[in-house]
């Protein structure tokens, strides 16, 4: 069943690779974007509040939200240390989720990473896993965690290792498990659109094949 298109969505990450693709699926849906800089295209029913990430929870005060969507993400190479990576990819997401829950959101849809694990030795996977555990404990009726593989799509910046991975992805996809294969950011965005507003309860983790199936629902309008 496709998501409820009348429910009010609060979004972080509208300028990112996934978020920018998601916007085209949200035409006609009530949307509030929180961002560090003004960038949201003008659409009827869309609003944007701008401020530093630390201010995003305060920007949700007094708002009414049904669905929270967190599509932000950075890299260690971009921030230069694990403390800032943790501050953005874990605490930034968690604090937004808590504020959205206080604003009435019953559902959270969040982008994580394949192989995320709070007990992992790898710092990236550990932080992503800790984020998942944190948001799952907030009290949402429904939490949808998307774990895509290597994201493909047009970025404003090109990351060297990521670029090499994308170049090799056709070969890698032939040998790695399905849930670890590369995936278009537009496909992940389609899955988020299908999930946003969906009924049901509990925490569900969506791996690569699940994400593709959800995105197909969006394209067919089911």
């Amino acid at each position: 069943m496709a998501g409820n298109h009348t429910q009010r969505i609060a979004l972080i990450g509208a300028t990112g690779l996934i978020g920018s693709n998601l916007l085209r699926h949200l035409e006609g849906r009530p949307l509030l974007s929180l961002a560090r800089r003004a960038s949201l295209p003008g659409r009827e029913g869309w609003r944007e509040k701008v401020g530093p990430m630390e201010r995003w929870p305060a920007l949700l005060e007094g708002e009414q939200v049904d669905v929270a969507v967190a599509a932000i993400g950075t890299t260690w190479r971009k921030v230069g240390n694990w403390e800032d990576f943790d501050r953005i990819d874990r605490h930034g997401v968690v604090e937004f989720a808590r504020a959205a829950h206080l604003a009435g959101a019953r559902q959270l849809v969040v982008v994580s990473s394949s192989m995320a694990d709070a007990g992992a030795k790898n710092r990236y996977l550990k932080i992503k896993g800790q984020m998942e555990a944190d948001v799952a404990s907030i009290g949402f009726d429904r939490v949808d965690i998307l774990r895509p593989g290597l994201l493909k799509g047009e970025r404003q910046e090109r990351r060297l290792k990521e670029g090499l991975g994308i170049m090799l992805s056709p070969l890698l996809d032939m040998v790695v498990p399905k849930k670890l294969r590369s995936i278009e950011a537009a496909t992940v965005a389609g899955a988020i659109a299908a999930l946003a507003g969906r009924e049901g309860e509990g925490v569900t983790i969506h791996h690569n094949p699940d994400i593709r199936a959800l995105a197909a629902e969006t394209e067919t309008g089911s």
Side-chain angles (χ1 to χ4, degrees):
M1 183 183 73
N4 185 333
H5 287 201
T6 65
Q7 296 197 354
R8 297 158 295 193
I9 299 171
L11 167 68
I12 56 173
T15 62
L17 187 59
I18 293 173
S20 57
N21 279 281
L22 175 61
L23 291 179
R24 73 179 181 90
H25 293 290
L26 300 182
E27 292 281 355
R29 302 177 73 168
L31 174 66
L32 170 61
S33 170
L34 305 181
R36 287 176 292 184
R37 62 184 185 277
S39 62
L40 189 68
R43 297 286 191 280
E44 184 178 355
W46 286 14
R47 294 184 296 130
E48 184 172 49
K49 289 187 174 183
V50 178
M53 185 180 66
E54 293 75 16
R55 285 273 303 153
W56 290 351
L59 295 178
L60 279 179
E61 291 180 5
E63 296 288 345
Q64 292 182 318
V65 178
D66 298 306
V67 181
V69 177
I72 64 169
T74 188
T75 64
W76 186 94
R77 182 175 181 271
K78 186 173 182 179
V79 298
N81 61 82
W82 287 114
E83 289 73 22
D84 282 340
F85 182 87
D86 185 74
R87 177 178 59 84
I88 295 169
D89 275 44
R90 179 186 178 190
H91 294 289
V93 171
V94 174
E95 293 308 312
F96 161 73
R98 286 191 179 127
H101 185 254
L102 288 173
R106 60 164 294 277
Q107 180 191 18
L108 171 69
V109 184
V110 60
V111 179
S112 182
S113 173
S114 57
M115 299 178 66
D117 181 354
K121 293 182 179 179
N122 178 284
R123 290 290 296 276
Y124 177 88
L125 298 178
K126 181 181 180 70
I127 289 170
K128 290 292 190 180
Q130 290 172 328
M131 179 274 291
E132 290 184 2
D134 289 345
V135 298
S137 68
I138 289 174
F140 289 95
D141 292 344
R142 177 179 181 129
V143 177
D144 291 281
I145 298 171
L146 281 73
R147 289 187 179 177
L150 175 66
L151 289 176
K152 297 190 291 185
E154 292 297 322
R155 292 187 185 272
Q156 293 181 348
E157 53 165 304
R158 176 53 65 195
R159 304 162 182 170
L160 179 59
K161 290 183 179 180
E162 188 176 67
L164 291 173
I166 291 172
M167 288 176 59
L168 295 173
S169 61
L171 294 175
L172 295 174
D173 287 347
M174 295 174 64
V175 297
V176 300
K178 287 183 179 180
K179 68 180 183 179
L180 302 181
R181 292 177 183 174
S182 61
I183 190 168
E184 292 287 343
T187 302
V188 181
I192 294 173
L195 287 168
R198 184 164 289 197
E199 298 297 326
E201 298 181 353
V203 178
T204 304
I205 295 176
H206 306 274
H207 295 287
N208 199 309
D210 312 309
I211 294 170
R212 294 178 187 276
L214 286 163
E217 293 181 20
T218 304
E219 296 303 322
T220 59
S222 62

